[in-house]
Amino acid sequence: MNATVNLRSDLSQAKRSPSPDRARLFYACAAALLLALMLLGFQQFYLHGRAFPNRPLTPAIRALVITHGIAMSLWLMLLLVQPLLVVNRKHRVHKSLGKAGAGLAFFIVLVGLDLTVEWARIDPSRMFVWSMTAKQFMAVPCISLLIFAGFVATGILNRRRPDIHRPMMLLATLTVISAGTDRVPALISLFEQTLWGTVFGPFFPPLFIGALLLILKWALTTVLRSLLRRPAWVALVVADAGIIKLARTQTWDGIATYLLRT
């Protein structure tokens, strides 16, 4: 009798739980969306080898820009391929690419930090969008890359727990995708002069996309097993707002000045 009750309970739970393959396909689709946004934002780079908005790459950092662009492209393609490999039961390939992805993430952080410093060093007084000087804007990529590293590390440590591993990798990508979305004028024009633009700056489109993905995942799975249930997405929202505020402080000015002198 107990066995029958337990069996019914297990079947009932299975019906309420999201399909593993459906969840993996969700993350593949999310990765495809982010890849498309990056391709759209950096279309001048991919199609013509030029910087936004259609200007030549700065010779002094040309090699760094190309290297970083290739590394980020590989990361997003990896984010797309990995869940599809699991769906097709290619677990060995998935694990092998996962190890390569860990090394790629480390490389992205190193090259990204180097590029940020060298870019600001060229002319630290010039103004960027969001009414920030180059020294102030350094806070955006520098701290984003450190948060990216934290999410990736958390995902790697929980690689045997898909409910944590997959969201961490998606959050890591959302953390750094603002470089692409910030180069899509149609997106920027929607919020640049709003409260959201003031508080979150270039981080608002990725945060908004992340929120939409949460809603979509909830709708597809009918169970709130999403990033919203975990503190990580909320922490990312707070961190992104904090970066914009920190960038305009004397504290960050001192940090940026030190980085530019080293």
Side-chain angles (χ1 to χ4, degrees), residues 71-258:
M72 280 303 305
S73 301
L74 290 174
W75 175 263
L76 278 160
M77 287 189 283
L78 188 64
L79 191 75
L80 171 61
V81 168
Q82 283 291 71
L84 296 178
L85 287 173
V86 178
V87 170
N88 289 283
R89 307 295 186 264
K90 304 291 185 181
H91 298 290
R92 286 188 178 181
V93 180
H94 176 86
K95 290 179 181 178
S96 298
L97 285 180
K99 293 176 182 178
L104 178 61
F106 182 71
F107 182 75
I108 286 171
V109 173
L110 290 183
V111 174
L113 291 174
D114 190 19
L115 176 59
T116 299
V117 173
E118 293 302 321
W119 192 15
R121 189 174 279 153
I122 293 171
D123 184 7
S125 63
R126 71 189 188 282
M127 297 298 291
F128 280 84
V129 292
W130 314 109
S131 302
M132 287 192 242
T133 64
K135 286 174 67 175
Q136 291 173 337
F137 194 77
M138 281 177 66
V140 172
C142 279
I143 301 177
S144 293
L145 284 166
L146 295 178
I147 297 173
F148 167 83
F151 280 136
V152 171
T154 303
I156 292 172
L157 291 173
N158 291 277
R159 59 190 178 277
R160 299 185 185 280
R161 297 186 58 185
D163 59 322
I164 297 178
H165 176 75
R166 292 187 302 236
M168 289 301 104
M169 294 306 181
L170 179 57
L171 279 169
T173 310
L174 283 169
T175 303
V176 292
I177 199 66
S178 61
T181 56
D182 199 34
R183 287 166 170 77
V184 182
L187 281 177
I188 299 302
S189 63
L190 293 176
F191 71 94
E192 186 176 6
Q193 303 299 325
T194 68
L195 174 64
W196 306 112
T198 301
V199 175
F200 295 107
F203 296 118
F204 182 69
L207 292 175
F208 181 72
I209 292 166
L212 291 179
L213 290 174
L214 295 177
I215 295 170
L216 178 60
K217 187 171 188 293
W218 175 82
L220 288 174
T221 61
T222 69
V223 177
L224 198 56
R225 283 179 172 269
S226 61
L227 307 181
L228 191 61
R229 193 172 178 179
R230 305 183 184 281
W233 188 81
V234 177
L236 181 59
V237 172
V238 174
D240 284 349
I243 290 171
I244 299 301
K245 191 171 183 63
L246 173 66
R248 296 186 171 93
T249 66
Q250 289 298 317
T251 300
W252 177 257
D253 185 78
I255 294 172
T257 299
Y258 172 77

